[in-house]
Amino acid sequence: MSTLQHALLHPLTTLYTLLQYLLTALLHPLTTFYTLLQHLLTTLFAPPPVRTPPPPPTGPRVAIIGAGITGISAAAHCVSHNSDVLIFDSAPTIGGIWARVNGTSSLQIHSIMYRFHPSITFQNAYPKRTEILEQLEALWRRYRLEEKTVLEMKVVSIERTETGKWRVNGIPEWEFDGVVAAVGTCGEPMLPMLPGVEGQWRFQGQMVHSSELEGVEMEGRKVVVLGGGASAVEALECALNRGAESVSLLSRSDKWIIPRNPLIDIILSLNPFGSELYISYIPEFLRRRLFLYRSLSPLAPHTTGLWESTPIVNSDLLSNIRSGRARWLRADILNIEEYGVRYSHRSPGVPKGGPGVEKFADADIIVFATGFKRPSLSFLPEDCFEEGYEPPNWYLQTFPPGAVDICACNCTYVNAIGTVGHLHVGVYTRLLLMFLNDPLTAPPAEAMRSWVKWTKWLKAKSPTGAFDFFTYGELCLWFLECVVVNPFRWKWAFFVFTGRGMPMGIVRKEREIIEGDSSRIIGNSELRECVSWSVLTVKSF
């Protein structure tokens, strides 16, 4: 039954529903606007769900290594553009890192910057783990990926066959035209090698990793958090929410803190140079002295710029420190003892391992917010790790030189201001599909190396490596440059950036011209030779 038929048959129900929508819009205008914005983005950019029964795929076959946010999103893009996929993951469920963290874990950035596929719609600005997994599973089912997923299957090797395809784990039935490596950056929990940890039974309290806080009773207890990243701040908030008597965060590194304001975060991420600039000291000074830190300016980094490492996105942390509910200490851990942590407290500007004052933090619970081990990319062929061109020093930071049919999306990330789950997942996937469907668009290995060298030269004065830090503005410029530099990619531009209008008809005509199989298109052999020479010239870019 259509919506119109339902409205005609049930006018009172329809009227009641409309009144509910109007009341919600009046009482919650920002929420209503956000919901409408997401629906607009879905309408404009989301590929249609896969039909039942699904049509037979006509495009390349792609292996997706990883069933997390990136892997499921990339697979959905592939199947919606007539490609076949098979998703592999060593875990028993989909979800990646989100399936393994605490139920209290939530996004630190606004969810408008975490729309990992155009068809998802978040109900909250900062959704928790449950809502993120619900959206991911809905996406997985919407594009009928259940039958295309192999769980509890660890990928240990990807080898090039004589026919140029990629064979997974040496199994002939698992041969693919392309590969999306989507193992991410967070694997198993990582515990540091700290003094006292090897004899942890001396500590009389509870020791736990930040990803294992479910059921940990913290009310009235003294909590010490070891770490200085997003998971450390999340553990600090968790302890405060559970009524901890005191919370001390001991951080070795300095991290910038920026507010949970999507407009500010987006503006910061649009720096087109992707690194610290000569004038960066102005916004950093204003943020340190006037707008955010103010009396807590000693906590702001003094030797690291805002565009050098991934900042912490949180609006309540500094308020909790000002109120005395929490402490943030710049510290090197000296020892874990029976009743707490001994540390060296450093002054602003003193680097890690530098001189400090020895102090002691009482603890009933020690939370190791020390992050996760980075998943290995060792299943990729050895020639993907060519000296001088190891990840993240790859073409567009994602394609290994010489293997343009491998896309390691969100695997080579080090530091950035942007997001790990926005429009770039779709763009990277569609670039891979462009290269696979249209060989005239695929850059040769030397051109990919040249791009890496060129980008390193442009960022030679950056305080970090060229690909160790980037911004979303810089990433978008990379995409634009990739499409513009090769005329054979121009016809793909609309598809790459919007997901619409796959130009396969033009590609087939081009193949007929280049291969010289259609005299009705080009009957002049000299002209055909001229076209072939032009193709070789353009492909060098």
Side-chain angles (χ1 to χ4, degrees):
M1 182 185 296
S2 68
T3 304
L4 179 60
Q5 289 174 322
H6 185 276
L8 292 174
L9 293 174
H10 305 279
L12 293 178
T13 303
T14 303
L15 180 61
Y16 178 68
T17 303
L18 288 174
L19 289 174
Q20 280 187 313
Y21 281 135
L22 289 173
L23 184 62
T24 301
L26 291 172
L27 296 177
H28 307 284
L30 291 179
T31 302
T32 302
F33 173 75
Y34 179 49
T35 302
L36 291 175
L37 176 61
Q38 291 189 94
H39 283 306
L40 176 62
L41 293 173
T42 297
T43 302
L44 292 176
F45 300 110
V50 177
R51 299 195 306 271
T52 305
T58 58
R61 192 181 188 211
V62 179
I64 312 287
I65 317 301
I69 293 289
T70 303
I72 298 300
S73 179
H77 283 291
C78 285
V79 298
S80 62
H81 298 307
N82 304 318
S83 291
D84 192 17
V85 300
L86 194 60
I87 306 170
F88 300 90
D89 201 297
S90 59
T93 61
I94 67 170
I97 185 62
W98 283 108
R100 303 195 298 273
V101 295
N102 302 297
T104 55
S105 296
S106 62
L107 282 184
Q108 294 296 309
I109 59 174
H110 195 284
S111 57
I112 195 66
M113 302 171 69
Y114 203 76
R115 286 174 51 82
F116 49 85
H117 190 272
S119 67
I120 65 172
T121 303
F122 287 113
Q123 300 303 312
N124 297 288
Y126 299 94
K128 292 189 179 297
R129 166 183 177 265
T130 302
E131 184 177 351
I132 293 169
L133 288 176
E134 285 174 353
Q135 288 294 324
L136 184 65
E137 183 172 354
L139 175 67
W140 186 57
R141 298 189 185 284
R142 190 179 306 124
Y143 289 89
R144 301 181 60 86
L145 297 173
E146 307 101 303
E147 61 264 32
K148 299 178 183 295
T149 303
V150 182
L151 296 174
E152 298 184 278
M153 175 57 64
K154 183 178 177 62
V155 173
V156 296
S157 68
I158 294 176
E159 302 170 327
R160 181 83 75 179
T161 67
E162 295 179 355
T163 59
K165 294 183 181 294
W166 292 108
R167 181 175 292 169
V168 174
N169 287 355
I171 299 176
E173 290 77 17
W174 289 349
E175 290 190 359
F176 302 88
D177 301 291
V179 175
V180 173
V183 295
T185 59
C186 297
E188 296 300 316
M190 181 167 59
L191 292 175
M193 298 299 294
L194 292 174
V197 173
E198 65 276 6
Q200 59 180 286
W201 298 115
R202 293 178 53 203
F203 180 62
Q204 298 301 303
Q206 185 176 2
M207 302 175 75
V208 62
H209 190 268
S210 59
S211 64
E212 301 168 341
L213 294 178
E214 298 284 3
V216 177
E217 179 58 49
M218 296 183 175
E219 186 173 359
R221 308 181 75 181
K222 299 173 183 177
V223 179
V224 172
V225 181
L226 305 185
S231 59
V233 174
E234 194 171 87
L236 181 148
E237 289 187 322
C238 176
L240 291 177
N241 292 335
R242 294 183 186 180
E245 178 185 326
S246 66
V247 185
S248 300
L249 191 150
L250 308 183
S251 173
R252 290 195 70 204
S253 59
D254 288 339
K255 287 280 189 179
W256 281 94
I257 301 169
I258 60 177
R260 276 182 159 184
N261 184 309
L263 181 60
I264 292 176
D265 299 344
I266 289 171
I267 290 173
L268 292 175
S269 72
L270 291 180
N271 173 0
F273 301 98
S275 67
E276 194 78 356
L277 305 173
Y278 289 116
I279 61 172
S280 296
Y281 75 91
I282 297 176
E284 290 165 6
F285 173 82
L286 294 175
R287 188 169 299 279
R288 183 184 288 117
R289 294 294 182 182
L290 298 179
F291 295 135
L292 192 63
Y293 288 90
R294 299 193 301 278
S295 61
L296 297 177
S297 61
L299 295 183
H302 286 68
T303 60
T304 303
L306 181 56
W307 284 275
E308 289 186 45
S309 65
T310 305
I312 294 171
V313 184
N314 194 282
S315 296
D316 301 324
L317 176 60
L318 294 178
S319 297
N320 287 325
I321 295 172
R322 283 193 187 93
S323 67
R325 299 185 67 205
R327 297 192 301 165
W328 180 296
L329 303 169
R330 187 180 287 105
D332 293 313
I333 309 303
L334 300 177
N335 199 16
I336 294 180
E337 302 179 0
E338 286 184 285
Y339 300 105
V341 180
R342 192 167 299 280
Y343 64 95
S344 173
H345 188 203
R346 290 181 278 112
S347 299
V350 177
K352 290 184 287 187
V357 179
E358 185 174 313
K359 294 187 177 182
F360 186 79
D362 292 321
D364 300 310
I365 300 173
I366 297 176
V367 179
F368 289 99
T370 46
F372 301 85
K373 297 176 183 177
R374 180 179 285 268
S376 175
L377 289 171
S378 60
F379 57 85
L380 296 178
E382 264 187 47
D383 53 12
C384 289
F385 304 93
E386 178 186 351
E387 185 176 355
Y389 299 96
E390 305 91 346
N393 302 302
W394 284 351
Y395 180 62
L396 303 180
Q397 205 192 35
T398 301
F399 297 93
V404 75
D405 45 3
I406 292 178
C407 176
C409 187
N410 286 342
C411 293
T412 61
Y413 169 90
V414 180
N415 275 299
I417 294 184
T419 171
V420 295
H422 196 42
L423 60 88
H424 73 273
V425 178
V427 172
Y428 271 130
T429 304
R430 291 190 291 271
L431 284 173
L432 175 67
L433 294 178
M434 176 181 74
F435 296 148
L436 295 176
N437 280 290
D438 188 359
L440 295 177
T441 65
E446 194 50 48
M448 299 170 79
R449 296 188 192 98
S450 296
W451 182 87
V452 173
K453 293 177 184 176
W454 167 252
T455 305
K456 285 184 175 180
W457 180 82
L458 285 177
K459 299 181 71 172
K461 295 185 178 180
S462 171
T464 63
F467 301 99
D468 293 344
F469 181 88
F470 66 95
T471 62
Y472 222 75
E474 181 185 19
L475 184 65
C476 291
L477 287 180
W478 290 351
F479 291 149
L480 184 63
E481 176 192 14
C482 172
V483 173
V484 168
V485 75
N486 186 332
F488 284 106
R489 298 173 191 162
W490 294 354
K491 62 183 175 296
W492 288 91
F494 193 70
F495 169 75
V496 167
F497 293 116
T498 69
R500 309 287 186 183
M502 203 171 187
M504 291 308 299
I506 302 175
V507 171
R508 285 189 288 270
K509 291 294 184 182
E510 285 179 342
R511 286 176 181 168
E512 291 177 355
I513 295 173
I514 303 308
E515 294 171 1
D517 291 336
S518 179
S519 58
R520 60 186 172 82
I521 298 176
I522 296 183
N524 188 311
S525 60
E526 293 182 0
L527 181 57
R528 192 180 304 120
E529 289 178 8
C530 179
V531 171
S532 298
W533 179 85
S534 300
V535 169
L536 292 175
T537 302
V538 171
K539 279 199 67 178
S540 66
F541 293 99

